[in-house]
Amino acid sequence: MITILCVEDETAIRKFIVEELAEAGFATLEAANGREGLEMIVSKWPDIVICDITMPEMDGLQLLAEIQMNHPELSNIPFIFLTAMTDRDHMLAGLRSGAADYLTKPIDLDLLLAKIEGSILQIENNRKTGRAF
């Protein structure tokens, strides 16, 4: 079963995403900020991370950079940024940071699920070819 970690500081949004993912058949984990997200990623090794960018303690960009620099064994976990930051410069920065995708709020659940499905296909293809993730 695919496990998805949702890192989101707004409780109502995080709970909504986690509930919808569980209803779609995914195992879910949740974290309220980047520091909690880092702990979850290192200890639980989720298959996919859905992450807000603007959060207290450690933002999403810092979280992704921390994984890439200090936890290379986890650096291929697909990150999907889901954020209210809708301008083009923020989107480009998020994608250039190594995110698999960048979606904006309000949440389009069908689009989010399609992006997750695309990430799952990539994970499965990498596993078949023997690549890490």
Side-chain angles (χ1 to χ4, degrees):
M1 177 179 283
I2 295 291
T3 300
I4 302 174
L5 169 62
C6 178
V7 185
E8 168 65 58
D9 62 318
E10 293 185 44
T11 304
I13 294 172
R14 185 176 67 249
K15 296 293 183 191
F16 171 75
I17 293 169
V18 166
E19 286 175 16
E20 293 296 326
L21 293 175
E23 283 183 26
F26 299 107
T28 59
L29 301 168
E30 56 185 286
N33 60 55
R35 292 240 180 264
E36 286 182 17
L38 178 61
E39 291 173 17
M40 283 287 207
I41 292 167
V42 170
S43 66
K44 305 290 185 183
W45 287 53
D47 297 294
I48 298 170
V49 176
I50 297 170
C51 188
D52 191 8
I53 291 180
T54 306
M55 296 181 289
E57 296 189 42
M58 176 187 283
D59 70 30
L61 294 170
Q62 292 168 326
L63 172 58
L64 181 53
E66 173 70 22
I67 293 296
Q68 292 169 337
M69 290 179 0
N70 296 317
H71 301 279
E73 71 281 7
L74 300 168
S75 66
N76 287 328
I77 295 174
F79 259 70
I80 300 172
F81 282 128
L82 180 60
T83 179
M85 299 169 73
T86 61
D87 68 80
R88 185 173 188 271
D89 289 339
H90 284 114
M91 191 174 293
L92 289 171
L95 292 170
R96 287 180 175 144
S97 72
D101 223 316
Y102 189 105
L103 300 173
T104 58
K105 297 174 185 174
I107 300 166
D108 180 329
L109 210 50
D110 291 330
L111 187 57
L112 177 60
L113 290 172
K115 299 294 185 172
I116 290 169
E117 289 169 14
S119 291
I120 292 168
L121 287 174
Q122 186 65 47
I123 291 167
E124 291 172 350
N125 286 338
N126 288 344
R127 287 180 179 160
K128 286 178 187 173
T129 60
R131 295 183 197 142
F133 265 69

